[in-house]
Amino acid sequence: MDRREVAAVLAYVGRLDPRTIRTGTGEARDQIAQWQELLDDVPFATDHGWDVREAIRSHVLDSPYPILPVDVVRRWRAHRRDRLDRHTESTPAADPDDPVAWRAELLRSRNAVATGVTAPSTYRHITSGGRPHDVEERLCEVGSCIPPAVRAELARYRPARAARETAVASGVPDALGVRCDWCHAAVGSPCRQRRASPDGTARGNAVRATPHPSRVDLAAARMDRHRAA
């Protein structure tokens, strides 16, 4: 900041916290000189997220002590660190066989992000050259987040899910899409074995590889209702 910007900052500080106001001409001059010395490399505002007035206002709201120039500098440095932590270095366009030019371009890019001249480049930008998509749009494009080969390998470890996916793909009613009235399995959960004991209570909790027939019939009836609608 230059002297004019520092004077504007002190005027803003005095408006929010009158304790910082210096009434004497010499005191005001010394205060401006002190703040300018410490805020020399701190911008008044940037195009991407930094405004010294917001930092001052936050301090006044959070701290009972009068703000000092070092408080502003610390907030600016924390802001810079946060921007660099969110930034993903892009590959310089310079010749990689020219280490001096390569390093200079890398430093220019990093400094532009740190000082707020450009916005941080997130990981999304290095994984996709096109416009960012939301999750549903991407899933519509790729069809599934699990590659077919991996899904085939997982099928033997998830027989109930594999059977459900096969049924849905072939147009057969999805039995797991409804609640089972026999074993009371919830929607999406496989059916379980139930054996009645002599006293009438149910025993057994083993997972069935196939749903109960009554559940299949209920899913088919539901599909027929949807088709008719």
Side-chain angles (χ1 to χ4, degrees):
M1 291 187 218
D2 56 27
R3 190 178 183 84
R4 179 182 56 82
E5 291 173 329
V6 170
V9 167
L10 288 172
Y12 182 74
V13 171
R15 187 162 64 251
L16 298 183
D17 186 359
R19 294 175 298 175
T20 61
I21 297 176
R22 299 293 181 266
T23 56
T25 304
E27 290 181 342
R29 186 186 308 111
D30 293 341
Q31 186 185 37
I32 292 176
Q34 178 196 30
W35 279 65
Q36 185 178 12
E37 178 70 21
L38 293 173
L39 303 183
D40 182 60
D41 60 344
V42 177
F44 187 88
T46 66
D47 294 334
H48 302 281
W50 167 259
D51 192 316
V52 69
R53 292 166 295 188
E54 289 296 328
I56 294 169
R57 186 172 181 273
S58 297
H59 178 89
V60 173
L61 292 174
D62 297 338
S63 175
Y65 302 103
I67 190 170
L68 299 174
V70 292
D71 297 322
V72 178
V73 175
R74 287 167 183 160
R75 286 179 179 267
W76 164 245
R77 291 182 175 179
H79 177 77
R80 285 184 49 156
R81 285 194 301 270
D82 175 70
R83 291 178 62 82
L84 289 175
D85 289 342
R86 292 185 288 112
H87 178 59
T88 302
E89 301 286 1
S90 58
T91 303
D95 186 355
D97 293 331
D98 186 350
V100 176
W102 178 280
R103 183 173 182 274
E105 183 176 343
L106 199 62
L107 290 177
R108 282 197 303 271
S109 173
R110 185 177 300 174
N111 186 64
V113 171
T115 56
V117 176
T118 60
S121 176
T122 62
Y123 285 99
R124 180 177 60 195
H125 294 112
I126 67 172
T127 58
S128 174
R131 64 179 181 85
H133 302 279
D134 61 24
V135 176
E136 292 185 0
E137 289 179 345
R138 290 302 298 270
L139 286 177
C140 289
E141 290 179 2
V142 301
S144 173
C145 58
I146 304 178
V150 177
R151 188 181 297 277
E153 289 294 326
L154 292 175
R156 53 182 173 175
Y157 302 105
R158 305 183 302 174
R161 184 180 181 90
R164 186 182 186 187
E165 292 174 349
T166 302
V168 173
S170 58
V172 178
D174 179 17
L176 270 62
V178 296
R179 182 177 180 273
C180 182
D181 293 336
W182 176 257
C183 65
H184 307 298
V187 175
S189 300
C191 289
R192 295 183 176 274
Q193 298 284 2
R194 293 186 63 198
R195 296 190 301 273
S197 61
D199 59 358
T201 59
R203 296 187 306 171
N205 200 36
V207 177
R208 287 174 54 95
T210 58
H212 286 106
S214 60
R215 192 177 190 181
V216 176
D217 294 341
L218 183 61
R222 181 182 178 183
M223 176 179 285
D224 292 339
R225 288 196 303 270
H226 287 174
R227 288 176 178 175

